[in-house]
């Protein structure tokens, strides 16, 4: 009789497989911070030390685990942190903590990513200002950490580009559907990072294992920052014109660390690490982490290393507005960008049977017009049975309280009517514009015209749509979008965030042609350009402007570039009134919503004075946050930290005074800020201070109130004091300090915010 018993070898292999599977199931990705000064001299470099540290785990853990020791190391970081990322079991993690040089560790975290008119709206001109002064960003290299890139897009053609700068050390990696030959003088670098993602999901299949973009986000953001000019670009006829990035002659290097299957911090900081090695000048990252301290935020730690290398970093504020303290990337050494609108609207008209045309808003990509059809008013359109009986008619729906619009759109979509008019004053109506069926959205004022026509028509009322209308010069603009996340920053509330506002609403930029941008009657439609909204779109605008400023002023530090943007930002709109906040009932926008204001590239080119800051300034801030030495060392990557002059008062181009709601000791208080400005203007100049803080009870004084500069690059200091009650009715009050040049054109403006931080007792003192 044949034996059915398993062979000893088979049993052994099954046992090993069982052990390995159990080990993997318990494992997780960790980012481990190490003290480089503790590395034994016997090691040739960090990588060999980290590898040896992991190999030594077999001495303190099971020998079976050692079978995987060679594959435990995911990344050995060279710049962003002193440390590595690895796959570790709980027992191995504890063993690592006992290793020489260990500082701290965090678990790998998942991350999510949060134009034809915007350059004109920001005042960029080929004949004067920031574009010609910087040669359109020529030879400035923008590194983008995102979902990849579609290299064949016209936005990345290298027509008119000069030779690649000789200092560039990057390369184009070959991968799935991506050849290194796809790079050129515009797209000079393309790399991808997913070791952390794969380690977290060992059985995963990466759909596009290369830098090619199958999401669209990275193609859109990179072309917004530095896309070459493309004529006759549009979104199905909307926003037609020449599409180009903020710095159309800058170079693009894409670092893909966000995949359709997911994204993890270990991969993102590996991308930043490589970007530093490759030699980028600007880093653009439309992503972030919420609710983590600076010493626990790998993005804060990685960007600290970038700033040390004189790399400017631009980040998005997040899309969780309009609530206060919803912002992420409140990192003191990066630029945090809010999203605003531009002076452009997309819409359609409905021509009534009596010949009257009524304007509405729409981004319906279907046929540009519908013939005359019967039009009927169905009130709130919430009876699906009735709607399905309407047939081939245009249905008019009314959202009376701003809460039913979403349901109405869903019901109409299910009812399969010929088209719809939605009457609503909902502040975020724009989020519904891209419908799969013919639809127009309009305010109650215009809606009354249509209702009146229907109610007063004795014969069958009719109407006809005309889509694909683009109107420019819309007022007021810009406005702060309601979705843009607000400050103060939870990770560091003592530095006012966001810093700046840039266009982020319905921005036209490049798109992969095989990815659908919309659906019409249940069929996908495609385009080489797409309209997207979010702080993800605002961030690359600022990145492109930073490239222009770096091109014109290569000697400026990242803090100087940020200061130039902030102190020259616009706080008024195109009606000469204050910029309003859609998320705050159209009240004047607070700096907690828009930062210093709307970015103005041409003014930023010549700011007059700048507020500079260096590594020591940031270290003093970290010391004042009551972090432990190990926590500070995690950020600075240096064991030699000097905390002899701790200060929460960073030399920043803005001011924020946080009131403690639990303060019962005194009825009034005085807080003092000290600032140092550097003259970057030409020749002798004198500046006079003025303060506008339109609120009773608070007194702001500036000493001295006059600054005299005798030479370029001379520094002068002043103190700003705020005296007032420790309690106030308002949640936020704000104003501005302006330094105006006597007999000159420079006005250096800084926002001042006084606010109650509700959970200040949880913040470092």
């Amino acid at each position: 009789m044949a034996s059915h018993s398993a062979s000893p070898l088979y049993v052994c292999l099954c046992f090993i497989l069982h052990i390995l599977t159990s080990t993997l199931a318990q494992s997780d990705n960790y980012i481990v911070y190490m003290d480089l000064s503790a590395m034994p001299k016997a090691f040739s470099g960090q990588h060999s030390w980290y590898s040896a540290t992991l190999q030594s785990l077999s001495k303190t853990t099971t020998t079976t685990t050692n079978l995987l020791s060679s594959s435990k190391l995911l990344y050995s970081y060279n710049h962003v942190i002193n440390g590595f990322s690895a796959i570790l079991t709980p027992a191995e993690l504890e063993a690592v903590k006992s290793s020489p040089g260990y500082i701290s560790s965090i678990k790998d975290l998942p991350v999510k990513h949060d134009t034809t008119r915007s350059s004109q709206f920001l005042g960029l001109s080929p004949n004067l200002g920031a574009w010609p002064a910087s040669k359109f960003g020529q030879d400035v290299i923008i590194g983008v950490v995102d979902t990849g890139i579609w290299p064949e897009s016209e936005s990345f053609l290298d027509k008119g580009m000069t030779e690649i700068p000789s200092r560039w050390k990057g390369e184009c990696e070959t991968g799935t559907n991506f050849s290194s030959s796809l790079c050129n003088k515009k797209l000079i670098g393309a790399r991808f990072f997913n070791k952390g993602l794969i380690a977290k999901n060992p059985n995963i299949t990466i759909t596009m294992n290369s830098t090619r973009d199958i999401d669209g986000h990275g193609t859109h953001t990179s072309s917004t920052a530095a896309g070459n000019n493309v004529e006759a670009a549009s979104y199905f006829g909307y926003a037609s014109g020449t599409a180009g990035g903020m710095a159309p002659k800058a170079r693009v290097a894409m670092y893909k660390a966000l995949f359709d299957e997911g994204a993890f911090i270990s991969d993102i900081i590996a991308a930043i690490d490589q970007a530093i090695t490759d030699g980028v000048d600007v880093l653009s990252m439309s992503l972030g982490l919420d609710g983590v301290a600076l010493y626990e935020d790998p993005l804060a730690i990685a960007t600290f290393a970038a700033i040390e290398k004189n790399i400017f970093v631009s980040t998005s504020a997040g899309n969780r507005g309009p609530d206060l303290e919803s912002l992420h990337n409140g990192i003191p050494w990066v630029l945090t960008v809010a999203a605003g609108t531009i002076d452009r609207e997309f819409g359609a008209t409905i021509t009534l049977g009596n010949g009257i045309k009524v304007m509405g808003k729409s981004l319906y990509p279907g046929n540009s017009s519908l013939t005359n059809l019967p039009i009927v008013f169905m009130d709130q359109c919430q009876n699906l049975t009735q709607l399905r009986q309407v047939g081939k008619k245009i249905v008019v729906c009314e959202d009376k309280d701003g809460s039913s619009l979403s349901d109405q759109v869903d019901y109409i979509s299910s009812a399969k009517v010929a088209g719809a008019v939605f009457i609503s004053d909902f502040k975020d109506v724009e989020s519904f514009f891209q419908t799969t069926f013919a639809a127009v959205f309009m305010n109650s004022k215009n809606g009354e015209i249509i209702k009146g026509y229907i109610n007063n028509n004795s014969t069958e009322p009719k109407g006809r749509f005309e889509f694909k209308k683009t109107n420019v010069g819309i007022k007021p603009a810009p406005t702060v979008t309601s979705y843009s996340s607000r400050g103060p920053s939870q990770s560091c509330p003592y530095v006012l965030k966001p810093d700046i506002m840039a266009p982020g609403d319905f921005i036209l930029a490049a798109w992969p042609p095989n990815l659908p941008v919309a659906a019409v009657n249940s069929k996908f439609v495609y385009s080489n350009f797409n309209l997207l909204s979010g702080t993800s779109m605002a961030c690359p605008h600022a990145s492109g402007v930073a490239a222009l400023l770096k091109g014109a002023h290569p000697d400026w530090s990242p803090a100087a570039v940020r200061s130039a943007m902030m102190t020259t930002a616009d706080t008024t709109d195109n009606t000469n009134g204050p910029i309003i906040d859609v998320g705050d009932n159209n009240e004047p926008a607070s700096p907690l919503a828009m930062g210093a204001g709307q970015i103005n590239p041409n003014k930023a080119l010549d700011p007059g004075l700048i507020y500079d800051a260096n590594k020591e300034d940031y270290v003093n801030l970290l010391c004042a946050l009551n972090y432990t030495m190990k926590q500070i060392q995690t950020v600075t990557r240096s064991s030699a930290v000097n905390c002899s002059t701790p200060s929460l008062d960073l030399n920043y181009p803005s001011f924020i005074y946080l009131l403690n709601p639990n303060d019962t000791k005194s009825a009034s208080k005085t807080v003092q800020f000290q600032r140092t400005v550097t003259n970057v203007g030409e020749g002798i100049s004198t500046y006079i201070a003025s303060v506008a803080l339109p609120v009773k009870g608070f007194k702001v004084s500036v000493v001295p109130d006059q600054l005299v500069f005798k030479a370029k690059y001379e520094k002068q200091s002043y103190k700003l004091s705020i005296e007032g009650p420790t309690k106030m009715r308002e949640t936020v009050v704000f104003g501005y300090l302006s330094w105006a040049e006597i007999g000159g054109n420079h006005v250096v403006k800084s926002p001042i915010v006084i606010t109650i931080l509700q959970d200040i007792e949880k913040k470092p003192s």
Side-chain angles (χ1 to χ4, degrees):
M1 181 182 294
S3 172
H4 292 277
S5 61
S7 69
L9 176 61
Y10 177 79
V11 172
C12 179
L13 289 174
C14 287
F15 175 73
I16 292 174
L17 182 62
H18 170 72
I19 295 296
L20 294 182
T21 304
S22 300
T23 300
L24 284 171
Q26 298 170 15
S27 299
D28 211 331
N29 293 1
Y30 290 90
I31 299 165
V32 180
Y33 301 93
M34 302 288 282
D35 182 356
L36 198 58
S37 66
M39 182 178 72
K41 294 180 179 180
F43 292 106
S44 59
Q46 294 168 251
H47 181 80
S48 58
W49 181 35
Y50 303 150
S51 297
T53 300
L54 291 176
Q55 289 170 6
S56 69
L57 297 180
S58 60
K59 299 176 182 178
T60 53
T61 57
T62 63
T63 54
T64 308
T65 305
N66 194 43
L67 291 170
L68 298 176
S69 62
S70 61
S71 61
K72 283 190 170 297
L73 184 65
L74 299 175
Y75 295 105
S76 175
Y77 303 111
N78 297 312
H79 301 287
V80 291
I81 67 170
N82 287 336
F84 58 90
S85 54
I87 315 166
L88 301 172
T89 65
E92 289 168 338
L93 177 62
E94 290 305 311
V96 167
K97 290 180 179 180
S98 301
S99 300
Y102 172 85
I103 296 177
S104 63
S105 57
I106 61 169
K107 187 179 289 188
D108 203 0
L109 299 171
V111 178
K112 293 183 179 179
H113 54 69
D114 288 328
T115 108
T116 50
R117 176 72 184 166
S118 52
S119 59
Q120 291 173 279
F121 182 61
L122 294 179
L124 288 168
S125 165
N127 301 316
L128 57 98
W131 266 354
S134 66
K135 297 182 180 179
F136 299 83
Q138 178 180 306
D139 290 345
V140 179
I141 302 167
I142 302 178
V144 183
V145 180
D146 216 301
T147 65
I149 199 165
W150 193 265
E152 296 88 352
S153 168
E154 287 185 79
S155 295
F156 306 118
L157 295 179
D158 60 1
K159 181 180 179 181
M161 301 291 292
T162 57
E163 292 300 315
I164 297 171
S166 58
R167 59 189 169 84
W168 176 242
K169 300 182 182 69
E171 63 180 54
C172 285
E173 294 179 347
T174 298
T176 308
N177 293 340
F178 199 103
S179 166
S180 60
S181 63
L182 290 170
C183 287
N184 54 27
K185 296 175 185 177
K186 162 60 77 172
L187 177 61
I188 65 172
R191 299 180 186 267
F192 59 102
F193 305 82
N194 55 25
K195 291 180 182 177
L197 171 63
I198 294 171
K200 290 285 285 190
N201 306 276
N203 298 320
I204 198 171
T205 299
I206 303 295
T207 306
M208 188 61 65
N209 198 32
S210 72
T211 317
R212 184 170 292 280
D213 187 9
I214 58 171
D215 176 276
H217 191 271
T219 300
H220 197 280
T221 57
S222 54
S223 62
T224 299
N228 220 330
N229 290 330
V230 180
E231 296 181 359
S234 76
Y235 175 83
F236 302 103
Y238 295 102
S240 60
T242 299
M246 292 294 99
K249 296 300 181 186
R251 320 293 173 148
V252 174
M254 175 56 68
Y255 299 86
K256 180 178 177 180
L258 287 81
F259 288 74
D260 270 20
E261 294 78 13
F264 284 87
I265 280 293
S266 58
D267 294 324
I268 289 171
I269 61 176
I272 299 171
D273 196 63
Q274 188 63 58
I276 294 173
T277 299
D278 290 346
V280 303
D281 301 303
V282 175
L283 260 177
S284 185
M285 297 190 295
S286 295
L287 49 89
L289 290 171
D290 295 318
V292 288
L294 294 177
Y295 63 85
E296 293 179 326
D297 184 352
L299 292 180
I301 297 164
T303 54
F304 192 92
I307 296 302
E308 285 187 290
K309 299 290 185 180
N310 209 37
I311 298 169
F312 184 89
V313 183
S314 176
T315 65
S316 51
N319 302 327
R320 296 172 57 228
D323 293 339
L324 295 177
E325 297 186 59
S326 56
L327 169 146
H328 61 209
N329 291 323
I331 303 166
W333 40 88
V334 308
L335 186 77
T336 311
V337 189
T341 64
I342 64 174
D343 64 338
R344 179 177 65 188
E345 283 185 351
F346 306 114
T349 59
I350 179 168
T351 303
L352 304 176
N354 58 8
I356 294 177
K357 292 179 180 287
V358 185
M359 280 293 301
K361 298 177 182 179
S362 178
L363 273 174
Y364 175 64
N367 292 331
S368 59
S369 64
L370 291 174
T371 56
N372 282 323
L373 291 171
I375 182 169
V376 57
F377 179 62
M378 297 290 288
D379 200 20
Q380 296 193 61
C381 295
Q382 292 187 320
N383 189 321
L384 185 56
T385 303
Q386 290 182 358
L387 290 172
R388 283 175 171 162
Q389 296 171 357
V390 168
K392 196 175 182 181
K393 295 179 182 179
I394 297 173
V395 174
V396 179
C397 307
E398 186 169 19
D399 172 34
K400 295 180 179 179
D401 59 4
S403 64
S404 61
L405 184 58
S406 179
D407 291 338
Q408 291 182 21
V409 172
D410 289 342
Y411 285 138
I412 291 295
S413 178
S414 300
K416 308 297 183 186
V417 299
V421 175
F422 295 99
I423 302 170
S424 178
D425 291 321
F426 180 51
K427 64 183 178 182
D428 288 327
V429 67
E430 290 87 356
S431 58
F432 297 99
F433 285 176
Q434 290 172 304
T435 54
T436 60
F437 55 91
V440 179
F441 297 80
M442 59 185 60
N443 58 31
S444 55
K445 181 180 179 181
N446 285 359
E448 288 301 318
I449 299 173
I450 296 178
K451 287 169 59 180
Y453 164 70
I454 295 172
N455 293 333
N456 297 324
N457 200 299
S458 56
T459 60
E460 185 178 43
K462 291 189 175 182
R464 175 170 55 88
F465 284 137
E466 291 180 50
F467 291 101
K468 303 181 181 178
K469 305 284 185 181
T470 301
N471 303 308
V472 296
I474 300 299
K475 296 181 179 181
T479 62
V480 184
T481 64
S482 64
Y483 58 76
S484 188
S485 292
R486 271 59 169 176
S489 160
Q490 291 190 9
S491 61
C492 186
Y494 305 99
V495 176
L496 177 57
K497 292 284 181 171
D499 295 308
I500 203 82
M501 184 174 76
D505 222 34
F506 292 116
I507 302 302
L508 186 80
W511 191 256
N514 65 339
L515 289 182
V517 295
V520 176
N521 298 324
S522 301
K523 292 183 178 180
F524 289 130
V525 292
Y526 303 84
S527 172
N528 291 328
F529 290 86
N530 198 4
L531 289 162
L532 296 183
S533 297
T535 56
S536 280
M537 285 63 252
C539 169
H541 277 88
S543 305
V545 173
L548 298 179
L549 297 180
K550 292 274 280 187
H553 302 286
D555 57 325
W556 280 8
S557 69
V561 173
R562 178 182 59 206
S563 174
M565 289 185 189
M566 292 176 64
T567 61
T568 60
D570 295 326
T571 56
T572 56
D573 59 26
N574 56 4
T575 70
N576 291 321
I579 293 173
I580 63 172
D581 185 351
V582 175
D584 190 23
N585 299 314
N586 293 329
E587 291 292 320
S590 155
L592 292 177
M594 69 171 184
Q598 171 86 345
I599 196 169
N600 187 320
N602 295 329
K603 285 185 179 180
L605 189 68
D606 181 21
L609 306 176
I610 57 168
Y611 295 78
D612 213 345
N614 56 32
K615 176 184 175 179
E616 286 69 32
D617 296 317
Y618 298 126
V619 170
N620 289 338
L621 174 66
L622 294 173
C623 293
L625 289 170
N626 284 348
Y627 291 168
T628 66
M629 274 298 168
K630 280 196 171 184
Q631 289 167 343
I632 297 171
Q633 189 178 347
T634 299
V635 178
T636 64
R637 309 174 329 284
S638 172
S639 57
V641 175
N642 183 356
C643 276
S644 61
T645 56
S647 175
L648 293 172
D649 191 20
L650 183 65
N651 194 45
Y652 216 75
S654 58
F655 305 87
I656 182 166
Y657 175 23
L658 302 173
L659 294 177
N660 187 345
N662 300 320
D663 187 357
T664 58
K665 295 180 180 178
S666 57
S668 64
K669 188 176 180 180
T670 300
V671 63
Q672 192 174 84
F673 303 87
Q674 180 160 329
R675 295 290 185 269
T676 298
V677 289
T678 304
N679 178 31
V680 292
E682 300 293 339
I684 299 172
S685 57
T686 301
Y687 287 81
I688 297 291
S690 63
V691 175
L693 187 68
V695 61
K696 294 180 179 180
F698 288 95
K699 178 184 177 183
V700 180
S701 57
V702 180
V703 178
D705 61 1
Q706 179 173 302
L707 299 175
V708 179
F709 298 91
K710 298 178 181 179
K712 191 174 184 178
Y713 303 124
E714 182 182 352
K715 298 179 184 293
Q716 295 281 357
S717 298
Y718 68 89
K719 292 181 180 179
L720 180 142
S721 300
I722 302 175
E723 181 183 358
T726 55
K727 299 191 183 303
M728 62 181 187
R729 295 178 183 176
E730 303 90 341
T731 304
V732 180
V733 297
F734 63 92
Y736 296 90
L737 163 67
S738 296
W739 287 99
E741 183 184 15
I742 298 176
N745 298 320
H746 297 117
V747 177
V748 185
K749 195 171 184 178
S750 296
I752 303 169
V753 167
I754 305 170
T755 187
I756 303 169
L757 198 61
Q758 295 301 328
D759 54 350
I760 195 168
E761 67 275 4
K762 299 178 185 177
K763 310 295 178 185
S765 58

